[in-house]
Amino acid sequence: MNLDCQGKGIPFKFYAAYYPPIYTKVKANSLSELIKGVSIVDKNSIFYHVFHPMLSSHVVPEDLPNDFAFWLRESLHDEYLAEVVADIKGREPLTIEDIRKEILELLNTSTHLDKTADYPFVFISFIPVVYPLNVEVRTLAEFMDAIAKVPVRSLFYHFVYKRVMGLSKRNDFTTWLEENFGLIDLGEKIAKIDPQTYTEEEDFRQDLLKILEGELLK
């Protein structure tokens, strides 16, 4: 593959986003209240508690990559349920509603629904602030350079947020590589990355680059 090729000439424009937290007034002091909360909060709240730790690696234990799992272990002292909730997947084609359903199914397997927690689970939501980076690429070489340099928030927005929240059917990188260059195998390899396996945001960037370099520089 010629790295200077522009394919069909479709540019890739990089954006990024912040997710400023908003208090929902929903709290849970027991597992039954957590189940009710997960059932009623908006999808932004579920997204926040499942995925924001990926952008907050300095405060997240590696073995508990989402807020629900952390609270289950640290406040409710349910090691088993914390472990199974920690293992929920976030890869394509799952949406945030698929993930909500899986969390509820896992929580409902417990027989300790009324056990009181040490401290409440406070549901947080957000209104995203999306902004352009003024970075636009047309060739594969420019794309790899941009992946190496743009803020991780941009990678997260294009790879996780838009797809999981239903704003696009697939992650933007796969869509562009396939539609502009016909790179189906490369697009599929990228799509198999599970964002839930990362508690270090730079590890996510490095794995993206490894896949791109492995396929485009061989």
Side-chain angles (χ1 to χ4, degrees):
M1 174 63 70
N2 179 358
L3 296 183
D4 292 323
C5 172
Q6 293 192 9
K8 295 181 179 178
I10 304 170
F12 190 100
K13 299 180 181 179
F14 283 87
Y15 290 80
Y18 283 98
Y19 311 93
I22 299 173
Y23 175 43
T24 66
K25 300 182 181 179
V26 179
K27 292 183 179 180
N29 288 290
S30 66
L31 188 54
S32 60
E33 291 180 1
L34 184 71
I35 291 170
K36 181 180 179 181
V38 170
S39 301
I40 64 174
V41 294
D42 63 31
K43 64 180 181 181
N44 284 7
S45 181
I46 302 298
F47 178 88
Y48 180 90
H49 291 295
V50 172
F51 289 104
H52 94 87
M54 189 177 169
L55 297 174
S56 308
S57 58
H58 57 291
V59 297
V60 180
E62 289 187 1
D63 61 332
L64 299 174
N66 67 68
D67 290 344
F68 299 117
F70 184 82
W71 183 80
L72 288 165
R73 186 177 76 180
E74 299 300 318
S75 184
L76 206 63
H77 306 293
D78 191 326
E79 292 278 353
Y80 172 75
L81 202 53
E83 288 181 10
V84 296
V85 171
D87 286 339
I88 58 173
K89 308 300 181 186
R91 64 166 61 100
E92 289 187 23
L94 294 174
T95 68
I96 201 63
E97 292 302 338
D98 296 325
I99 294 169
R100 185 204 300 265
K101 180 181 178 182
E102 182 178 356
I103 292 172
L104 288 173
E105 289 175 350
L106 292 171
L107 295 180
N108 275 305
T109 62
S110 176
T111 58
H112 306 290
L113 297 180
D114 295 324
K115 181 180 178 182
T116 302
D118 290 348
Y119 57 85
F121 186 96
V122 179
F123 285 89
I124 301 296
S125 187
F126 64 88
I127 297 175
V129 178
V130 181
Y131 57 97
L133 293 182
N134 296 320
V135 176
E136 180 175 312
V137 302
R138 294 179 180 274
T139 70
L140 293 168
E142 292 172 345
F143 181 66
M144 285 196 292
D145 285 345
I147 293 292
K149 296 177 181 177
V150 297
V152 172
R153 285 185 175 277
S154 178
L155 305 180
F156 185 80
Y157 173 75
H158 288 290
F159 188 79
V160 184
Y161 178 77
K162 289 183 64 182
R163 187 262 304 172
V164 170
M165 298 299 279
L167 302 177
S168 58
K169 292 183 178 179
R170 308 200 71 183
N171 75 82
D172 288 347
F173 304 143
T174 289
T175 298
W176 187 67
L177 290 166
E178 291 185 354
E179 292 184 353
N180 196 46
F181 297 98
L183 294 170
I184 305 300
D185 291 343
L186 175 56
E188 290 298 327
K189 284 186 177 180
I190 289 175
K192 289 181 180 178
I193 295 176
D194 183 353
Q196 275 302 96
T197 61
Y198 295 92
T199 54
E200 290 288 343
E201 55 263 39
E202 285 300 330
D203 289 346
F204 171 54
R205 184 201 304 276
Q206 293 307 314
D207 280 357
L208 270 176
L209 287 171
K210 284 180 184 177
I211 293 174
L212 289 169
E213 292 169 357
E215 289 294 313
L216 298 176
L217 302 182
K218 63 183 179 184

